Amino acid sequence: MTQAGTSETRSESAVEFRDVLIVGAGLSGIDAAYRLQERNPGLSYAILERRQAIGGTWDLFRYPGVRSDSDIYTLSYPFRPWDGEKSIADGDDIRQYLVDAAAEYGIDEKIRYGVHVLSADFDTTVDRWTVETEIDGKPVTYQARFFHLCTGYYDYDGGYTPDFAGIDRFGGQVVHPQKWPEDLDYAGKKVVVIGSGATAITLIPSMSRDAEHVTMLQRSPTYITVLPSVDKVAHTLQKRLPAPLASKIIRGKNAGISLAFYLYCRRFPDSARARLRGLAKRILPDDFDVDTHFNPTYNPWDQRLCVVPDADLFRAIKSGKAGIVTDTIDSFDETGIRLSSGDHLDADVVVTATGLQLQVFGGISLAVDGEKVTPGERFLYRGRMLEGVPNFAWTFGYTNASWTLRADLTSKAVADLLHYMDSHGYTHAYPDRGGKELPDVPMVDLSSGYVARSAGALPKASADKPWTVRANVVLDAIDAKRDKITESMTFGRAPKSVPQRDAVHS
């Protein structure tokens, strides 16, 4: 058994077998493990985690001010209510919450750290996955009946940075938020943050407290709304009601409000635009050019809408410690950035908050009987399983609400599927559209850069159920209660069984 922060070690000749292998010990992976052991206490499982700690996203990102971009009451687990003060939680607090949750339910004992999963091949003759990994550079093989990826949607090895002309000439320091140096000293310095997404709007108010000045350089504006950092209604409910009931009401309230605002933005974009513009105008100085810097050309929720707690970004700008420039980059020089308009931004530190690199299945190569599976050529079933791929699931949360809301629906559905398979003696199950032609639509209905750059890598979705991938937690929750587990699914048994001597239960 491994401990946190240590790598898995094992004889190279041994093959560890588990009923279920989960990849990723972040928000989704811990949730998947809990639902699995809750519904199927007799099944064995392990979590393979490439990093040396629990947390996933919340362990990777260590830039100043890192926080959730949705409320923590819906980002946290329904089985372990959040009891912290803030409704928009800091990254450190979220990471500790995950560590505590894993320890409380014994999940931390199932984690194998330092395991880089490379590929997985399903053998239909025995209905078993063979998973190839590297541990400290050495090949190690695992086997499992079911393979569940909780790897997120972006490349952990590096973010996206455009090719900026002359960047090698810059005499200051350039950093990407995904690889933040622990020793970066920006106190009293001029900082330029390139980008306008959630990372940029988080960094700017935090860095502005110590920097001489922080400038957000954006190519185009982003819609921004404001939430209070403390949810007074939630605190009142927590004081007056039993914790499980209070949590259920708070989660329902926040999920409902978030969904209602999203649907309002999509249905009435002009009205939503006016409201968001008016919000910025009320908080920012009277002479601030809101239409240039906070009034995008696209409609609200064509790209992800960003949230700032207690209007901290607007207040940093109002104080004079931060500013916004909307322009494009011509080139870097020794002292900063020359803009296409001819203006120049002096900088000691440049932060390239220019986005993520979308990565499907954590970069893991899948195959069935040695034949490679290309995700972009297959439809996604109920947002969690890939057509024609047996005993496989992928967790992909909401982009317009807390990730956990759909992640938990997926975890419960996978646990139910495994229970159904075992109770009926099935050794494999996979989605099957039976040759039916389906009109395909984008899996993620956003025009954000990280989605547009890699849209073809994502599985396909359809307007026809059960191949839809919706951005509606209410409808998904309703369907989760009434959908038939056998709909568009093929179940069966392996042609032959696997002798237990071929695998090691360790």
Side-chain angles (χ1 to χ4, degrees), residues 3-258:
Q3 301 295 323
T6 63
S7 296
E8 172 76 351
T9 58
R10 160 187 317 106
S11 167
E12 292 185 13
S13 62
V15 176
E16 180 174 346
F17 172 82
R18 285 291 181 267
D19 291 311
V20 181
L21 281 179
I22 299 168
V23 181
L27 192 68
S28 302
I30 301 302
D31 184 84
Y34 175 86
R35 294 302 185 187
L36 175 65
Q37 64 187 28
E38 174 191 48
R39 186 77 168 99
N40 303 280
L43 294 185
S44 62
Y45 75 91
I47 302 175
L48 308 184
E49 170 55 51
R50 183 179 176 184
R51 299 175 64 77
Q52 295 291 350
I54 290 170
T57 293
W58 304 107
D59 181 63
L60 175 67
F61 286 108
R62 301 298 182 103
Y63 58 81
V66 59
R67 64 195 180 205
S68 62
D69 59 353
S70 52
D71 76 277
I72 189 61
Y73 298 105
T74 55
L75 188 70
S76 59
Y77 302 129
F79 52 84
R80 195 177 191 276
W82 175 260
D83 58 3
E85 289 294 318
K86 294 182 178 180
S87 61
I88 303 295
D90 296 331
D92 287 345
D93 292 334
I94 298 172
R95 183 169 59 254
Q96 189 60 51
Y97 169 85
L98 295 176
V99 170
D100 293 342
E104 181 175 344
Y105 300 109
I107 295 168
D108 57 343
E109 299 176 3
K110 308 291 188 178
I111 302 172
R112 310 288 185 258
Y113 297 96
V115 183
H116 184 190
V117 181
L118 303 174
S119 64
D121 191 352
F122 188 81
D123 183 347
T124 59
T125 64
V126 293
D127 284 349
R128 179 170 291 189
W129 285 98
T130 296
V131 180
E132 303 297 346
T133 77
E134 280 188 355
I135 299 174
D136 295 328
K138 297 179 180 180
V140 176
T141 300
Y142 294 80
Q143 289 187 337
R145 293 170 52 205
F146 199 97
F147 194 46
H148 188 173
L149 297 184
C150 297
T151 50
Y153 62 96
Y154 64 88
D155 187 351
Y156 273 45
D157 287 332
Y160 173 73
T161 302
D163 292 327
F164 294 120
I167 195 168
D168 293 339
R169 297 168 54 198
F170 179 55
Q173 192 165 359
V174 179
V175 299
H176 192 285
Q178 196 165 322
K179 294 189 175 182
W180 195 268
E182 292 184 9
D183 59 350
L184 180 64
D185 180 15
Y186 55 86
K189 296 181 180 180
K190 296 176 182 177
V191 179
V192 174
V193 178
I194 303 173
S196 59
T199 302
I201 68 170
T202 299
L203 276 164
I204 288 160
S206 180
M207 296 185 75
S208 68
R209 300 187 191 108
D210 298 315
E212 177 184 332
H213 188 268
V214 181
T215 301
M216 182 165 82
L217 172 58
Q218 59 179 10
R219 183 178 54 187
S220 58
T222 295
Y223 287 107
I224 295 176
T225 192
V226 175
L227 285 179
S229 62
V230 175
D231 186 334
K232 294 181 179 179
V233 173
H235 280 209
T236 299
L237 291 171
Q238 287 173 326
K239 290 178 181 177
R240 298 184 179 180
L241 296 175
L245 178 58
S247 175
K248 188 173 183 179
I249 293 173
I250 295 165
R251 286 175 67 84
K253 170 185 76 74
N254 288 5
I257 290 172
S258 176

Side-chain angles (χ1 to χ4, degrees), residues 311-392:
D312 61 359
L313 174 67
F314 295 146
R315 298 189 188 285
I317 294 170
K318 192 172 183 177
S319 73
K321 289 283 288 179
I324 297 184
V325 173
T326 303
D327 206 336
T328 55
I329 295 173
D330 177 74
S331 63
F332 278 67
D333 59 24
E334 290 80 0
T335 60
I337 301 172
R338 187 162 301 283
L339 305 176
S340 299
S341 63
D343 292 338
H344 188 274
L345 292 178
D346 293 339
D348 302 302
V349 177
V350 172
V351 181
T352 55
T354 44
L356 305 167
Q357 292 277 29
L358 189 146
Q359 187 180 64
V360 181
F361 301 164
I364 299 167
S365 176
L366 294 184
V368 176
D369 291 332
E371 184 175 343
K372 183 179 179 181
V373 173
T374 302
E377 297 177 354
R378 304 197 183 213
F379 282 90
L380 197 63
Y381 173 86
R382 290 179 175 163
R384 58 180 178 263
M385 298 182 74
L386 206 59
E387 64 165 320
V389 180
N391 299 9
F392 171 80

